[in-house]
Amino acid sequence: MKKALLLGATLMLAAGTVSAAQVKRYPLPGGSTFPIASAVEVDGTVYQSGMVPAPKNPKAAKGSEAYWGDTQAQTLSVLTRIQASLKEKGLDMGDVVKMTAFLVGDPKHGGKLDFAGFMKSYTQFFGTKAQPNLPARSAVQVAALAGEGMLVEIEVIAVRPK
């Protein structure tokens, strides 16, 4: 009985600790009403929602490679957007501890993801002399993303330095 009471008290204390966490939700930019947060921060850890590329050429046919760019161009666009989002929150790419990259198979590569193109842009942000911090990372091929012709979506987790 005493063990059960002790366990119950321990669980209640743990639950109280969790509920006392500092949570901040960042809205999507531009007053968007899409029902997700741009990011959520819990006690100094920022969970950045997946970001997709900006159009490379908005005048090109929507959904085309000319509109979005190839994997390398899309990765550069996404990482640049992530960098800007983190900067708005007082963070930088060196604070990223985990990344998940969702890559669509490229028709020019027989439907396989263009990992080399992804890495050409990735290595401009990570593992450089100016920014040597490397995140834990997963890169997975997915069937499709929300926008026709998009090949890259990336989400990151960043931690505020203490």
Side-chain angles (χ1 to χ4, degrees), residues 51 77-89 91-93 124-125 131:
M51 291 194 133
S77 174
V78 172
L79 291 174
T80 299
R81 295 180 78 204
I82 289 171
Q83 184 176 48
S85 179
L86 291 174
K87 186 175 181 180
E88 289 172 0
K89 296 167 185 68
L91 297 161
D92 63 34
M93 295 301 249
Q124 293 180 44
F125 294 85
Q131 201 299 93

Side-chain angles (χ1 to χ4, degrees), residues 129-142:
K129 196 175 234 183
Q131 201 299 93
N133 296 341
L134 300 173
R137 188 190 80 198
S138 298
V140 297
Q141 182 168 331
V142 296

Side-chain angles (χ1 to χ4, degrees), residues 34-89:
F34 194 75
I36 65 168
S38 168
V40 175
E41 184 170 350
V42 180
D43 291 335
T45 299
V46 176
Y47 301 87
Q48 177 71 54
S49 287
M51 291 194 133
V52 294
K56 182 178 179 182
N57 179 1
K59 294 181 180 179
K62 285 192 176 182
S64 68
E65 183 177 329
Y67 184 81
W68 292 115
D70 60 10
T71 297
Q72 181 178 350
Q74 289 189 37
T75 301
L76 181 62
S77 174
V78 172
L79 291 174
T80 299
R81 295 180 78 204
I82 289 171
Q83 184 176 48
S85 179
L86 291 174
K87 186 175 181 180
E88 289 172 0
K89 296 167 185 68

Side-chain angles (χ1 to χ4, degrees), residues 110-129:
K112 294 180 181 176
L113 63 90
D114 179 8
F115 192 71
F118 169 78
M119 287 301 293
K120 283 180 184 173
S121 291
Y122 172 86
T123 55
Q124 293 180 44
F125 294 85
F126 298 96
T128 67
K129 196 175 234 183

